[in-house]
Amino acid sequence: MTVGGVEACIRVGCIMFMPHMIVTGNGTHPVVSGTLVEFFETVGKKLGRCVQYIAEPTNEAGIELPNGTWTGVMGVTHRNETDVTTMLIMSLKRAMAFDFSDFLYIEEHSASYKRPVLESDISGFIKPFSPLVSNASSV
């Protein structure tokens, strides 16, 4: 769902990784719990957005195939079906296709999202005035 051209919810790609991300239920109605749920709920609250959890059906992190596509939760994120995913081990191939956050809980695991590319953005003229940018410049 989009509101004013902006995705209303942060879409989080989920795979089972206890105790940080526990996924039960079915593919269309996943029940997600674990330590990262509180983290994403806090991020969503700070950004004024809801959080939608999307379970990856094969429960795999994913690999790059010879044709350049990705499998697993990385494929879901690479195809823009989710905005962010969690609990992935960074490798050279993954780092070339995704941006990784700072480590959250375990030193080799972090959140990742599709590497940005140059593209037109109609809301670009107001972004310098967003609260996130003004707060970041004061740090």
Side-chain angles (χ1 to χ4, degrees):
M1 177 178 159
T2 60
V3 177
V6 176
E7 191 66 32
C9 292
I10 300 169
R11 301 168 301 163
V12 179
C14 303
I15 57 173
M16 179 76 77
F17 193 86
M18 288 203 239
H20 307 295
M21 186 71 62
I22 303 164
V23 182
T24 57
N26 61 33
T28 56
H29 294 44
V31 177
V32 181
S33 59
T35 59
L36 282 175
V37 171
E38 185 176 337
F39 168 78
F40 281 112
E41 295 298 328
T42 301
V43 169
K45 187 176 182 180
K46 291 285 186 186
L47 296 176
R49 295 173 67 187
C50 60
V51 179
Q52 177 185 7
Y53 298 97
I54 299 172
E56 202 289 315
T58 64
N59 200 42
E60 296 175 355
I63 60 169
E64 184 181 25
L65 299 176
N67 66 0
T69 61
W70 288 83
T71 63
V73 75
M74 297 194 78
V76 173
T77 303
H78 199 257
R79 292 188 301 272
N80 293 321
E81 296 170 19
T82 61
D83 301 309
V84 65
T85 187
T86 62
M87 302 312 296
L88 301 173
I89 297 173
M90 192 182 328
S91 68
L92 178 60
K93 282 193 175 234
R94 288 178 177 175
M96 289 171 45
F98 296 86
D99 281 335
F100 284 80
S101 70
D102 289 332
F103 299 121
L104 301 175
Y105 290 117
I106 305 171
E107 56 272 348
E108 73 271 7
H109 292 93
S110 66
S112 66
Y113 45 90
K114 185 178 177 184
R115 184 170 295 280
V117 294
L118 291 175
E119 58 186 354
S120 61
D121 184 357
I122 191 69
S123 65
F125 68 94
I126 63 167
K127 288 185 177 178
F129 305 104
S130 74
L132 292 177
V133 173
S134 61
N135 287 341
S137 63
S138 64
V139 175

